[in-house]
Every structure is written in structure tokens, then in C-alpha cells.
């Protein structure tokens, strides 16, 4: 569950700090299987089921807390991309609360506890729910599939690349060890995607549906050969293929992508309301996310079946020691 909140008009540094102390305490307890303070259903906290809670600060939080100068520069609205059809109801927000869990009841309870503790400070802005396959999750070491059926998440940083790509270093000092999250709600037009034949679907991405291997390779993690041509001299991985466009001149991962599928079923207009809560984490969204999204907006065959309808950017503060609270290095 990704929940975004807007701070109230009376918010200031002191009140935001108070809120973060409360929320950090809730997160510490709930992730360890202990009831939150004033938990009305303490039994529902007993099975943490790999519960994690991640907080993010949107641009408005820095303003409200009077610390605008400390905002990491890329924590701002993204530039507009020509493919965007953004809706307010899925965009922006001062505070992000991301709650992940393997158990839907634990998850619902944790979200509710956290939600209650934001009430005095902030109003809900949007909620997005996403899911991963039970088998084939990042945690299990297997790459998940999205609702288009593709293996999605292959080219991602390993633990050795996290310092370089994901964790912020240097300036601003309070943000060292934090990261920037980009959350994009991308609707998939599954009804028209379904009618494409398999070969066309594989060409759109540049990878096989069966196992995620590049069209020029044998196994999922083989390096795509972007120079390879077929008997007619045409690129095996087409110019419009998603992986060619996403990669650009890079030779490896550029961000940590960790999206979740969403599926709200058939909408009132009869079309299927499903897609991807695309989430990427990077040290600097302007340097890492924006150039990739620009190239994709310019040319990527997947654009025919995918439409960004929501967008938000948050600073994910560094974690804290036991007894500390998330955001302390900024607001303490
Ligand atoms: C619904 C929308 C999208 C779908 C269905 C999708 C699907 C995929 C798939 C199947 C792959 C190949 C496997 C992999 O490496 O994970 C891939 C790769 C990638 N995607 Fe996407 N993607 C979407 C949106 C985006 C967006 C918005 C971005 C960033 C702006 C992005 C950036 C990338 C990158 C950087 C790669 C790795 C490319 C490489 O170096 O090989 N994707 N995506």
C-alpha cells in the first residue's frame, strides 16, 4: 500500500517532527509484531509477515516545516512528458507511507494504525495498492512478472551497486543514506495488448515472454546485444523496443525499479483498470530517472498500451537507530 497525505495548513517543523516520532514508533512496533501504542486491535499486530514501513517526504513537507533549503533538488515535480495523462487523484503529496507485507490482514491493520496517527496532522491524498507474485518476488531472488506477462525487474542493481545508484551521499548532509522515490501510476491497456501476437509482444520489449531473455540471448540475465541484426539486416532488438530505449548509452542498471501491479477490475467504462504502480529508487531523480523517462516518452512501442496517470516524488530519509525516529536528521 502506498498512501500519500497532505499536511494541514497549521503544520510546522515541530508538528511534523511530532508526527514522525509517532509514525516511527508505530513502524518499529508493528514490524516486530508488537501492537502500536493505543492499538485497538493488538491481536492483528502479532504476525508481522515481513511487514516493512517506508516514509517519504514530498516537496510540500520541506516548505511546511520551514526547511526548504534542505530539500534534495530532485525532490520536485517531474518535468511534463508528452505521454503523461496525469490525474490529480494519483499525483503529488507531502508525506508518503509505503507499507509492504505478505499478509493482507496484517497489512490492513498496520495501514490503519499509521493512518490514525497521521490524522491530527495530515489528510489523505491518494492510496494505491499493488501486489507481486507470491513466488517470483525480489525477496525470493526470482524476477516478478507484471500483468502484461513480462518478466519485469531483470536489469536492477545488485547489492554492490546500491551505494552508487540508490543511496544519497554528500549534500545535503541530513539525506546521506536516504534515497529518492519516484512513484508513477501507469495504466495498462490490457484489452488491446491481449490481441497482439506473441512475437509482436516480444519485439515491443526486446525480451522473450517465456523467460525474460533478451531476443539476442539464451538466459534472462544475458546482456542484450543491441548491435545484432537479422538476415535482412534489421536490428534483432528493434529501435522502438522498451529495453533499447530505456537503456540508452548505459551498460548496466541506472536505478532500482521495484514496481507493483494493480488491478481494480473492469471500470465503469467497461475497460479493465489495471497497470503498474511503477516505483524507482535512485540517489538523484533528475540525473537518473528523468533521462530514461524522456527517451521512453520520445519512442517506446510499449507507450501504445501504457499511460502514466499519476506521478509523485519523495525523499526517503535515512533509517534511524532504535529509539530514534525517521526524519530526525532533517527535523530534529
Ligand atoms: C507499464 C510500464 C512499464 C512496463 C510494462 C515495463 C516493462 C519492462 C520490462 C518487461 C523490462 C525488461 C526486463 C527488465 O530489465 O526489467 C523493462 C526494463 C526497463 N525499464 Fe521498464 N517498464 C515500464 C515502465 C518503465 C518506466 C516508466 C521506466 C523509467 C522511466 C522504465 C525503465 C526501465 C529500465 C531502466 C529498464 C532496464 C533496461 C535495460 O537496461 O535493459 N520502465 N521494463
Amino acid at each position: 500500500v502506498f498512501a500519500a497525505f497532505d499536511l494541514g495548513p497549521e503544520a510546522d517543523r515541530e508538528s511534523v517532527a511530532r508526527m514522525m516520532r509517532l509514525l516511527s514508533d508505530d513502524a518499529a512496533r508493528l514490524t516486530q509484531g508488537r501492537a502500536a501504542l493505543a492499538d485497538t486491535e493488538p491481536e492483528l499486530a502479532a504476525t508481522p509477515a515481513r511487514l516493512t514501513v517506508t516514509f517519504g517526504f514530498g516537496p510540500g513537507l520541506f516548505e511546511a516545516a520551514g526547511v526548504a533549503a534542505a530539500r534534495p533538488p530532485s525532490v520536485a515535480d517531474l518535468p511534463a512528458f508528452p505521454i503523461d495523462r496525469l490525474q490529480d487523484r494519483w499525483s503529488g503529496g507531502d508525506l508518503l507511507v509505503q507499507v509492504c507485507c505478505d499478509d493482507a490482514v496484517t497489512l490492513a491493520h498496520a495501514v490503519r494504525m499509521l493512518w490514525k496517527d497521521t490524522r491530527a496532522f495530515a489528510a489523505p491524498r491518494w492510496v494505491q495498492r499493488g501486489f507481486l507474485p507470491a513466488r517470483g518476488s525480489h525477496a525470493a531472488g526470482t524476477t516478478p512478472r507484471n500483468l502484461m506477462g513480462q518478466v519485469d525487474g531483470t536489469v536492477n542493481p545488485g547489492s554492490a551497486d546500491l551505494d552508487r545508484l540508490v543511496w544519497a551521499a554528500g549534500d545535503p548532509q541530513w539525506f546521506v543514506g536516504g534515497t529518492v522515490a519516484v512513484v508513477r501510476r501507469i495504466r495498462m491497456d490490457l484489452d488491446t495488448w491481449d490481441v497482439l501476437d506473441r512475437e509482436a509482444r516480444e519485439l515491443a520489449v526486446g525480451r522473450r515472454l517465456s523467460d525474460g531473455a533478451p531476443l539476442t540471448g539464451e538466459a534472462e540475465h544475458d546482456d542484450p546485444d543491441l548491435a545484432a541484426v537479422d538476415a535482412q539486416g534489421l536490428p534483432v532488438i528493434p529501435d522502438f523496443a522498451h529495453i533499447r530505449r530505456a537503456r540508452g548509452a548505459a551498460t548496466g542498471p541506472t536505478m532500482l525499479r521495484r514496481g507493483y501491479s494493480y488491478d481494480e477490475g473492469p471500470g465503469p467504462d467497461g475497460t479493465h483498470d489495471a497497470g503498474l504502480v511503477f516505483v524507482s529508487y535512485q540517489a538523484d531523480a533528475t540525473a537518473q530517472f528523468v533521462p530514461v523517462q524522456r527517451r521512453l516518452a520520445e519512442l517506446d512501442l510499449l507507450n501504445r498500451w501504457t499511460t502514466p496517470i499519476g506521478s509523485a516524488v519523495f525523499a526517503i530519509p535515512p533509517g534511524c537507530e532504535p529509539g530514534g525516529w525517521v526524519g530526525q536528521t532533517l527535523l530534529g
Side-chain angles (χ1 to χ4, degrees), residues 4 31 33 46 140 148 151 156 169 171 179 183 189-190 194 207 235 248 254 258 262 284 287 295 328 332:
T31 52
M148 289 175 133
V151 175
N156 250 338
D171 200 35
T179 187
V183 182
D189 189 345
L190 294 178
D194 285 353
R207 288 182 177 271
T254 44
R258 229 246 217 150
Y262 72 85
D284 181 336
R295 278 197 305 274
Q328 197 167 6

Side-chain angles (χ1 to χ4, degrees), residues 143 146 148 150-156 184 186-188 205 207 212 220 224 242-244 246-247 250-255 257 275-276 278 280 289-290 292-294 296 300 302 306-307:
T143 314
N146 62 36
M148 289 175 133
Q150 302 144 354
V151 175
D152 188 352
T154 302
V155 177
N156 250 338
R184 306 265 292 171
I186 306 180
R187 168 134 181 183
M188 292 173 171
V205 172
R207 288 182 177 271
E220 183 194 343
H242 181 72
I243 63 165
R244 180 189 289 278
R247 179 163 290 217
T251 52
T254 44
M255 62 185 80
R257 288 174 294 125
L276 189 68
F278 172 97
S280 67
F289 175 87
V290 171
V292 177
Q293 182 64 92
R294 278 224 167 93
L296 293 176
D300 168 9
L302 273 193
T306 60
T307 312

Side-chain angles (χ1 to χ4, degrees), residues 163-184:
D163 281 343
R164 183 172 56 89
L165 293 173
V166 176
W167 306 123
D171 200 35
Q173 190 59 36
W174 76 268
F175 195 47
V176 172
T179 187
V180 178
V182 172
V183 182
R184 306 265 292 171

Side-chain angles (χ1 to χ4, degrees), residues 102-117:
D102 289 347
D103 182 303
V105 174
T106 305
L107 176 67
H109 173 254
V111 170
R112 185 164 156 74
M113 285 301 108
L114 291 157
W115 191 295
K116 278 187 178 176
D117 277 342

Side-chain angles (χ1 to χ4, degrees), residues 11-234:
D12 59 12
R13 180 172 179 154
E14 216 284 309
S15 70
V16 177
R18 212 164 351 113
M19 173 180 76
M20 289 314 299
R21 270 193 224 106
L22 267 174
L23 295 179
S24 301
D25 181 67
D26 289 341
R29 289 165 185 271
L30 292 166
T31 52
Q32 296 170 58
R34 294 190 285 135
L37 279 183
D39 200 324
T40 40
E41 290 84 22
E43 291 79 8
L44 297 186
T47 312
R50 301 201 306 136
L51 178 74
T52 63
V53 181
T54 307
F55 300 110
F57 298 163
L61 183 143
F62 292 86
E63 290 289 333
V67 291
R71 177 175 56 81
S74 77
V75 178
D77 283 350
L78 294 171
F81 303 101
I83 52 171
D84 288 354
R85 299 290 178 271
L86 302 185
Q87 301 172 15
D88 263 358
R89 59 181 292 229
W90 302 121
S91 301
D94 297 336
L95 172 74
L96 171 73
V97 181
Q98 175 183 351
V99 191
C100 299
C101 187
D102 289 347
D103 182 303
V105 174
T106 305
L107 176 67
H109 173 254
V111 170
R112 185 164 156 74
M113 285 301 108
L114 291 157
W115 191 295
K116 278 187 178 176
D117 277 342
T118 63
R119 268 186 199 155
F121 309 94
R125 184 180 174 95
W126 51 256
V127 179
Q128 306 194 43
R129 287 163 215 282
F131 51 86
L132 285 171
R135 291 164 132 329
S137 65
H138 293 283
T142 321
T143 314
R145 285 183 186 268
N146 62 36
L147 293 179
M148 289 175 133
Q150 302 144 354
V151 175
D152 188 352
T154 302
V155 177
N156 250 338
S159 46
D161 300 319
L162 295 179
D163 281 343
R164 183 172 56 89
L165 293 173
V166 176
W167 306 123
D171 200 35
Q173 190 59 36
W174 76 268
F175 195 47
V176 172
T179 187
V180 178
V182 172
V183 182
R184 306 265 292 171
R185 189 174 183 86
I186 306 180
R187 168 134 181 183
M188 292 173 171
D189 189 345
L190 294 178
D191 299 320
T192 57
W193 174 253
D194 285 353
V195 301
L196 273 196
D197 65 27
R198 224 170 148 84
E199 192 192 347
R201 290 192 237 174
E202 293 183 333
L203 288 171
V205 172
R207 288 182 177 271
R208 285 204 302 252
L209 284 164
S210 58
D211 56 5
L215 296 179
T216 54
E218 292 308 316
E220 183 194 343
H221 290 280
D222 286 354
D223 246 342
D225 178 358
L226 296 177
V229 291
D230 63 14
Q232 282 78 49
L234 296 170

